[in-house]
């Protein structure tokens, strides 16, 4: 919530400036309170949501989140976008503590990446994910403490979609924190952001600035399903000659309807409710799911095979780590090897909900 | 008992080696000077892993110290037959496992902002995004006195969300990050006499390994811990401490007196990072920053190391130290003892050509079966 608070503050400042400019006759002493009054609905909402969450006022949180969800949109104006991102981040932060939904993928991928990077010192990760770089602190810590060598890590984050201004703000915050944290860990670290607005398959590879002497990993969490030309994306990954590609997607083993809405969205909600997410009972799913279509793991696997990749099994250690992770959550979560495809599933009561896999050319 | 003839003029603490005294003096904000440990040449990386499929088998990926390669061998290629019941972590080295048992499930992680975590990974993730990190960096950077690290112990109260996943009832009785640097969490006996990496089987090691040497191996490892913090402590919790020095004691004091000026923040934070839920293996790595293997200047009858045709260097196993140095140019000059690891790797031509040995005493570019298979190595433990 810290980063989010800052984001809200940024927005407040923005409005502060605006109101200063347009109301130069106002006295400065009243500027603070007037900021409060002038504050558009969104910023106020964000603040209140954050506070309600901190107070563990679940009823209030529900209300506010519902409103935010109504108002926020990745396609709207800056306010709406900020509200949208905020909601996303809030959502994942909240649920992390009660559900291993995102952490599962992170632990599995980081484990596979660490194994693939074994013995290498110049590392480059191209990260195309929807989890706001929350995957990387634990990897940085692992690099700092569990390796024999001094690794230098470059992290290039590809942010798909979103408005320029918002992405800039959000990613600058995140980048600064990543850099600070890497310094804390003592890992030489470089952070770059690429904001890419069209289909992922159009990504300009030269922008990624992959160097010859680097060991490359491509990490794709919840991002493949947003691409239209998926086979092209896979080929593109292949052309980068990565040491490893890690893919995490929500598992959809039902066909989606003709209206294009992802059933898994609602399934996910159902499952999450069943899993006991006590805090929020969302009415609507995060909206980035609505337009995109998910595929089952078996289909993603076929695409990867078709693109020239072979699966890499997660090591015993990584599997142990994942299982240990799941033990810290409620009963009902389990890890399962995929029978008809590569990778592993996170399952809730034996229903696969998230798929994680690793591949090499 | 070895004499501690290098005495600190402020507090009277004695050290066996001048270098340790110098580092200690930094903690008092006294002027200090560290001499270059070995002469001009960079440390040679001559220890290769006997396991042919291992990335460290090739001379170009040799490691710089014997203990490191042994540890690596055991942990990577040994069978992990020791398993923790609580968390499923497995260990090849029994002592690692024992150490882990002591801390598994008992550890709580507390952030500067006051939030407590029972899970290490969520703590780490939180830490990276916590505002307290930003605050702290600013504060510590401003501090000139290393003792100001205690600032960090002030709980910055942030309105924090998604905090303790276990609810308020969880007792917190262990906050590794915020112990002050002078306290040692786990008392460690600095006068451990264990002469080998596998404390329970030391004689077996000597017999099996043959030419590696017997008595001299003792001297290689048994360098009485050149602790930076040689406060004698009662119970020896860690079997490996004789190798890596006084773990918790060494790490904090090493890090804390690291840097004089601008990178105070980096290393102060690094010290904490070093304490973040450190497992035994982490501590082993980090602890190895505490200069082990000191007296061997190469000239002497350190026959053990002499077998390998190399001067054993100080192990800087923890790359953290150098990484932080690398990222802050102003500190590079001060780390005269630490030729950059990466420079080492790149300037090596095949790991010192012809002098490469795997730690079992075979090598010279010859492809040989490792003397012991991983499973039998484990039999030593």
């Amino acid at each position: 919530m810290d980063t989010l608070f800052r984001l809200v503050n940024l927005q407040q400042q923005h409005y502060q400036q605006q109101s200063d400019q347009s109301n130069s006759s106002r006295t400065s002493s009243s500027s603070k309170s007037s900021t409060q009054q002038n504050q558009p609905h969104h910023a106020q909402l964000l603040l209140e949501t954050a506070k309600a969450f901190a107070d563990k006022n679940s009823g209030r949180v529900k209300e506010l989140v519902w409103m935010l969800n109504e108002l926020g949109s990745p396609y709207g104006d800056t306010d709406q976008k900020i509200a949208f991102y905020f909601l996303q981040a809030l959502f994942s932060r909240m649920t992390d503590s009660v559900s291993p939904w995102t952490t599962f993928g992170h632990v599995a991928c980081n484990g596979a990446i660490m194994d693939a990077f074994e013995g290498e010192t110049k590392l480059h990760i191209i990260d195309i994910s929807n989890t706001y770089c929350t995957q990387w602190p634990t990897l940085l810590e692992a690099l700092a403490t569990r390796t024999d060598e001094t690794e230098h890590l470059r992290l290039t984050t590809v942010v798909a979609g979103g408005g320029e201004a918002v992405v800039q703000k959000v990613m600058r915050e995140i980048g600064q924190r990543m850099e600070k944290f890497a310094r804390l860990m003592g890992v030489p670290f470089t952070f770059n952001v690429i904001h890419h607005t069209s289909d992922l398959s159009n990504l300009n590879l030269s922008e990624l600035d992959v160097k010859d002497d680097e060991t490359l990993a491509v990490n794709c969490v919840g991002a493949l399903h947003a691409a239209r030309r998926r086979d092209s994306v896979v080929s593109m990954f292949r052309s980068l000659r990565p040491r490893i590609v890690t893919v995490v997607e929500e598992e959809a083993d039902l066909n989606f309807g003709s209206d294009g809405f992802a059933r898994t969205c609602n399934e996910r909600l159902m499952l999450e409710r069943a899993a006991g997410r006590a805090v929020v009972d969302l009415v609507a799913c995060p909206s980035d799911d609505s337009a995109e279509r998910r595929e089952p793991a078996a289909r993603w696997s076929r695409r990867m095979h078709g693109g020239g990749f072979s699966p890499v099994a997660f090591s015993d250690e990584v599997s142990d780590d994942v299982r240990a992770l799941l033990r810290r959550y409620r009963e009902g979560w389990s890890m399962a090897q995929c029978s008809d495809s590569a990778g592993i599933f996170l399952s809730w009561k034996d229903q696969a909900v998230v798929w994680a896999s690793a591949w090499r050319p | 008992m070895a004499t501690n003839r290098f005495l600190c003029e402020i507090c009277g603490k004695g050290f066996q080696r001048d270098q340790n005294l110098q580092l200690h003096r930094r903690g008092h904000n006294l002027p200090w000077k560290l001499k270059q440990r070995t002469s001009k040449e960079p440390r040679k990386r001559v220890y290769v892993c006997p396991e042919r499929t291992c990335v460290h088998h090739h001379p170009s990926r040799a490691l710089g110290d014997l203990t490191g390669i042994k540890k690596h061998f055991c942990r990577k290629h040994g069978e992990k037959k020791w398993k923790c019941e609580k968390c499923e972590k497995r260990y090849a080295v029994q002592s690692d496992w024992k150490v882990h048992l002591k801390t598994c499930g008992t550890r709580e992680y507390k952030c500067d902002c006051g939030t407590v975590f029972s899970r290490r990974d969520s703590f780490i993730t939180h830490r990276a995004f916590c505002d307290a990190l930003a605050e702290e960096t600013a504060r510590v950077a401003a501090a000139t006195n290393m003792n100001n690290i205690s600032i960090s112990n002030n709980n910055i109260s942030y309105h924090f969300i998604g905090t303790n996943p276990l609810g308020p009832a969880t007792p917190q009785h262990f906050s590794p990050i915020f112990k002050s640097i002078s306290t040692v969490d786990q008392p460690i006996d600095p006068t451990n006499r264990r002469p080998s990496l596998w404390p329970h089987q030391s004689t077996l090691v000597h017999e099996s390994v043959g030419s590696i040497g017997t008595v001299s191996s003792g001297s290689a490892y048994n360098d009485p811990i050149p602790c930076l913090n040689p406060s004698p402590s009662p119970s020896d919790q860690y079997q490996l401490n004789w190798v890596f020095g006084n773990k918790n004691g060494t790490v904090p004091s090493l890090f804390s007196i690291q840097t004089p000026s601008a990178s105070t923040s980096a290393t102060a934070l690094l010290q904490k990072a070093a304490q973040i839920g450190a497992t035994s293996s982490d501590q082993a790595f980090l602890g190895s920053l505490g200069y082990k293997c000191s007296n061997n200047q190469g000239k002497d009858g350190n026959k053990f190391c002499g077998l390998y045709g190399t001067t054993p260097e100080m192990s800087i196993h923890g790359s953290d130290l150098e990484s932080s140095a690398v990222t802050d140019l102003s500190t590079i000059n001060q780390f005269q003892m630490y030729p950059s690891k990466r420079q080492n790797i790149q300037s090596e031509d095949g790991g010192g050509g012809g002098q490469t040995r795997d730690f079992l005493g075979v090598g010279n570019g010859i492809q040989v079966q490792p003397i012991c298979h991983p499973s039998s190595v484990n039999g030593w433990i």
Side-chain angles (χ1 to χ4, degrees):
Chain A
M1 291 326 284
D2 32 5
T3 313
L4 301 171
F5 269 122
R6 199 158 285 223
L7 213 50
V8 172
N9 286 337
L10 281 174
Q11 192 178 31
Q12 280 182 324
Q13 283 165 30
H14 172 61
Y15 283 105
Q16 173 77 47
Q17 287 163 15
Q18 277 193 344
S19 84
D20 283 348
Q21 283 164 10
S22 62
N23 298 290
S24 51
S25 59
R26 258 184 217 258
T27 56
S28 53
S29 58
S30 64
S31 60
K32 264 196 184 154
S33 49
S34 67
T35 309
Q36 280 289 337
Q37 288 156 15
N38 287 347
Q39 224 172 59
H41 206 32
H42 295 85
Q44 187 91 27
L45 264 184
L46 303 188
L47 267 178
E48 291 196 36
T49 312
K51 283 182 194 154
F53 195 90
D55 296 339
K56 299 202 198 304
N57 182 344
S58 62
R60 184 88 180 114
V61 171
K62 280 190 212 181
E63 275 175 17
L64 292 165
V65 165
W66 188 89
M67 287 168 69
L68 265 179
N69 191 60
E70 286 297 298
L71 294 167
S73 162
Y75 310 111
D77 61 18
T78 309
D79 299 339
Q80 289 174 305
K81 285 178 203 165
I82 288 191
F84 170 72
Y85 281 110
F86 178 93
L87 187 60
Q88 294 279 75
L90 171 64
F91 187 67
S92 53
R93 278 293 197 99
M94 281 168 7
T95 56
D96 268 352
S97 62
V98 289
S99 152
W101 207 278
T102 53
T103 345
F104 167 82
H106 290 174
V107 170
C109 291
N110 284 348
I113 291 172
M114 287 299 289
D115 287 344
F117 277 167
E118 169 78 41
E120 303 293 345
T121 52
K122 295 195 72 175
L123 314 174
H124 187 182
I125 298 177
I126 294 174
D127 178 31
I128 314 170
S129 303
N130 60 1
T131 49
Y132 304 95
C133 291
T134 47
Q135 180 173 349
W136 306 119
T138 41
L139 184 101
L140 282 167
E141 194 264 349
L143 284 175
T145 59
R146 283 174 237 164
T147 56
D148 302 328
E149 312 279 338
T150 309
E151 283 86 5
H152 184 296
L153 176 66
R154 279 179 69 204
L155 179 65
T156 303
T157 308
V158 177
V159 179
E164 184 66 32
V166 171
V167 167
Q168 287 280 359
K169 279 183 190 167
V170 171
M171 294 317 292
R172 185 171 26 209
E173 268 302 316
I174 290 179
Q176 279 170 358
R177 282 162 201 272
M178 286 290 105
E179 284 165 350
K180 279 202 171 93
F181 188 74
R183 270 201 297 281
L184 174 67
M185 291 293 110
V187 176
F189 177 74
T190 320
F191 184 78
N192 294 104
V193 176
I194 294 179
H195 183 204
H196 185 76
T197 44
S198 68
D199 191 56
L200 199 52
S201 52
N202 294 333
L203 191 60
N204 181 357
L205 298 185
S206 61
E207 271 191 274
L208 297 173
D209 189 28
V210 178
K211 304 202 166 50
D212 288 334
D213 58 348
E214 288 174 340
T215 312
L216 186 69
V218 178
N219 182 79
C220 214
V221 173
L224 269 189
H225 70 263
R228 305 262 172 216
R229 289 159 39 210
R230 294 162 183 192
D231 292 332
S232 300
V233 173
V234 175
S235 305
M236 180 184 75
F237 289 167
R238 182 70 181 75
S239 69
L240 293 170
R241 290 188 308 212
R243 181 69 59 94
I244 190 161
V245 176
T246 45
V247 179
V248 175
E249 283 290 332
E250 290 179 7
E251 175 65 359
D253 57 359
L254 297 180
N255 293 326
F256 37 80
S258 56
D259 57 2
F261 275 89
R263 297 279 178 87
T264 46
C265 164
N266 294 320
E267 277 169 14
R268 169 181 170 166
L269 292 173
M270 271 167 32
L271 289 168
E272 291 195 345
R273 272 182 222 127
R277 277 180 45 236
V279 182
V280 172
D281 195 13
L282 280 182
V283 176
C285 61
S287 52
D288 78 327
D289 296 314
S290 62
E292 281 86 31
R293 313 199 222 154
R294 285 167 172 70
E295 294 180 348
R299 255 179 95 179
W300 289 120
S301 289
R302 277 198 292 278
R303 287 192 196 276
M304 295 299 287
H305 279 292
F309 286 101
S310 326
V312 176
F314 292 105
S315 68
D316 288 342
E317 268 184 23
V318 176
S319 303
D320 282 349
D321 285 344
V322 172
R323 275 189 281 262
L325 173 77
L326 297 186
R327 285 167 66 166
R328 293 168 173 155
Y329 289 96
R330 290 169 64 104
E331 290 269 342
W333 294 104
S334 63
M335 174 190 120
Q337 296 287 341
C338 299
S339 50
D340 58 350
S341 61
I344 52 177
F345 284 127
L346 169 68
S347 299
W348 170 250
K349 298 204 158 107
D350 296 324
Q351 165 140 24
V353 291
V354 180
W355 174 64
S357 61
W359 305 84
R360 61 178 166 80
Chain B
M1 170 131 42
T3 52
N4 292 352
R5 50 197 180 98
F6 296 94
L7 299 176
C8 173
E9 67 223 60
I10 301 273
C11 66
K13 213 165 236 179
F15 299 88
Q16 288 160 28
R17 297 166 55 233
D18 182 53
Q19 281 151 337
N20 296 345
L21 170 62
Q22 294 306 319
L23 285 163
H24 167 85
R25 280 165 60 97
R26 290 163 80 179
H28 291 304
N29 256 5
L30 290 174
W32 53 274
K33 169 125 177 81
L34 289 172
K35 296 196 258 290
Q36 184 119 24
R37 240 192 67 77
T38 52
S39 52
K40 308 73 195 176
E41 45 181 296
R43 183 178 350 127
K44 292 204 183 115
R45 300 180 147 244
V46 294
Y47 299 101
V48 290
C49 181
E51 173 58 49
R52 286 165 60 194
T53 60
C54 181
V55 78
H56 288 297
H57 180 70
H58 194 274
S60 66
R61 297 238 64 98
L63 297 185
D65 69 278
L66 178 62
T67 310
I69 196 74
K70 281 173 129 172
K71 187 166 48 109
H72 153 81
F73 179 84
C74 221
R75 287 171 179 160
K76 282 282 155 56
H77 309 297
E79 181 201 334
K80 292 192 161 88
K81 62 178 200 176
W82 304 98
K83 181 179 156 174
C84 173
E85 294 304 325
K86 287 187 202 168
C87 69
E88 306 209 28
K89 273 182 103 83
R90 295 195 287 208
Y91 296 91
V93 180
Q94 185 188 28
S95 50
D96 288 347
W97 170 75
K98 279 189 179 173
V99 161
H100 169 83
L101 288 185
K102 293 184 203 292
T103 56
C104 182
T106 63
R107 197 160 282 216
E108 305 247 323
Y109 307 95
K110 188 176 174 195
C111 182
D112 274 334
C113 65
T115 319
V116 177
F117 297 85
S118 63
R119 268 175 46 204
R120 182 178 170 189
D121 53 345
S122 40
F123 168 68
I124 289 171
T125 309
H126 162 86
R127 191 99 173 88
F129 289 99
C130 180
D131 270 345
L133 182 66
E135 290 282 333
E136 187 177 299
T137 313
R139 284 200 206 188
V140 181
T144 51
N145 187 347
M146 283 317 305
N147 291 332
N148 285 351
I149 284 180
S150 58
I151 297 173
S152 58
N153 289 333
N154 297 338
N155 280 343
I156 302 170
S157 61
Y158 274 81
H159 220 194
F160 220 85
I161 301 197
T163 57
N164 188 351
L166 297 189
T170 46
Q172 44 151 313
H173 48 83
F174 185 72
S175 311
I177 304 285
F178 301 103
K179 293 275 194 233
S180 77
I181 49 176
S182 55
T183 60
V184 176
D185 295 345
Q186 303 272 0
I188 293 179
D189 178 8
T191 61
N192 193 318
R193 331 98 208 134
R194 299 268 188 206
S196 87
L197 184 58
W198 296 284
H200 302 289
Q201 303 290 337
S202 46
T203 42
L204 193 55
V205 169
H206 294 152
E207 286 160 12
S208 312
V209 171
S211 66
I212 295 267
T214 55
V215 175
S216 12
S217 73
S219 68
Y221 295 132
N222 215 11
D223 179 24
I225 318 305
C227 292
L228 302 182
N229 190 6
S231 46
S233 317
S235 54
D236 166 22
Q237 310 282 352
Y238 294 90
Q239 314 281 339
L240 294 177
N241 68 5
W242 60 272
V243 174
F244 299 111
N246 183 347
K247 287 190 193 176
N248 281 315
T250 301
V251 169
S253 52
L254 169 63
F255 284 128
S256 68
I257 58 182
Q258 214 33 270
T259 50
S261 58
S263 42
T264 294
S265 61
T267 47
L269 298 174
L270 196 52
Q271 173 227 329
K272 289 185 200 146
Q275 291 171 319
I276 289 178
T279 61
S280 63
S281 53
D282 296 342
Q283 291 198 330
F285 277 116
L286 296 170
S288 65
L289 281 171
Y291 328 119
K292 67 169 200 64
C293 197
S294 59
N295 296 334
N296 318 309
Q297 302 296 334
K299 52 178 160 127
D300 68 325
N302 188 327
K303 309 156 189 78
F304 190 21
C305 298
L307 260 186
Y308 295 83
T310 184
T311 310
E313 272 94 5
M314 296 212 278
S315 95
I316 308 184
H317 226 45
S319 52
D320 316 37
L321 175 59
E322 292 205 73
S323 310
S324 68
V326 165
T327 55
D328 185 346
L329 292 176
S330 69
T331 60
I332 285 185
N333 294 335
Q334 286 132 20
F335 290 90
Q336 298 170 25
M337 296 198 293
Y338 301 83
S340 155
K341 250 201 211 170
R342 270 196 275 147
Q343 286 166 16
N344 262 348
I345 294 171
Q346 284 150 16
S347 63
E348 268 317 313
D349 54 334
Q355 288 190 341
T356 312
R357 302 274 187 279
D358 68 49
F359 68 80
L360 299 173
V362 294
N364 220 4
I366 300 168
Q367 292 288 339
V368 289
Q369 291 294 335
I371 288 177
C372 52
H373 296 290
S375 53
S376 60
V377 166
N378 214 46
W380 297 349
I381 295 159

